[in-house]
Amino acid sequence: MKPETAIIRIKNLRLRTFIGIKDDEIQNRQDVIINVVIHYCAAQARNSDNVEDALNYRTITKKIIELIEHNRFSLLENLTSQALAIASEHEWVEFASVEIDKPHALRFADSVSMELCYQK
């Protein structure tokens, strides 16, 4: 990793959405937990203290919230892929990963999760 690389971590963003293929999943919102990691070159922001020189994690988070809360998904893979597209859309992003947990998806497990990554 280059010394000018900054790592943004959005941890445990808790939202509710329609996710799944069973009738009760289609009819009822479920909890999902989102974790995002974004690497970008922050050389300008480190030296300027100007918000325009930094990647705005609040804007990214708002877009992910909008996506998840206002759509329906059959597959965790598709939901994760769309969230990753938002996390990696800015031209400065060099690497991004999104992991989405679906708590209580399996009887004897805390959750099932899907993680996808992007690398420039």
Side-chain angles (χ1 to χ4, degrees):
M1 186 165 53
K2 297 178 258 181
E4 63 274 4
T5 299
I7 302 173
I8 296 171
R9 297 182 200 280
I10 301 167
K11 297 181 180 183
N12 299 325
L13 179 61
R14 297 174 191 278
L15 303 172
R16 294 182 61 74
T17 193
F18 295 98
I19 176 74
I21 58 172
K22 297 188 308 188
D23 285 341
D24 63 314
E25 294 174 321
I26 293 168
Q27 296 172 10
N28 300 301
R29 289 182 186 271
Q30 297 178 69
D31 294 331
V32 290
I33 303 167
I34 298 92
N35 285 283
V36 179
V37 177
I38 300 169
H39 295 202
Y40 81 100
C41 180
Q44 285 184 272
R46 291 170 66 155
N47 296 317
S48 75
D49 203 32
N50 181 347
V51 70
E52 298 299 320
D53 293 332
L55 201 55
N56 191 329
Y57 54 82
R58 183 179 171 133
T59 301
I60 294 166
T61 303
K62 282 182 171 185
K63 287 181 180 180
I64 291 172
I65 292 169
E66 177 77 19
L67 167 75
I68 292 173
E69 289 189 340
H70 294 97
N71 289 285
R72 293 175 174 267
F73 307 91
S74 294
L75 299 176
L76 198 50
E77 290 86 346
N78 183 27
L79 169 56
T80 307
S81 178
Q82 289 189 49
L84 179 62
I86 292 168
S88 60
E89 71 185 357
H90 196 284
E91 64 183 282
W92 295 349
V93 175
E94 298 168 355
F95 170 86
S97 71
V98 172
E99 180 181 21
I100 300 183
D101 281 83
K102 186 177 171 184
H104 313 296
L106 295 174
R107 184 173 172 196
F108 297 112
D110 291 338
S111 71
V112 171
S113 73
M114 171 65 55
E115 182 175 12
L116 295 173
C117 299
Y118 160 87
Q119 180 128 19
K120 190 180 264 185

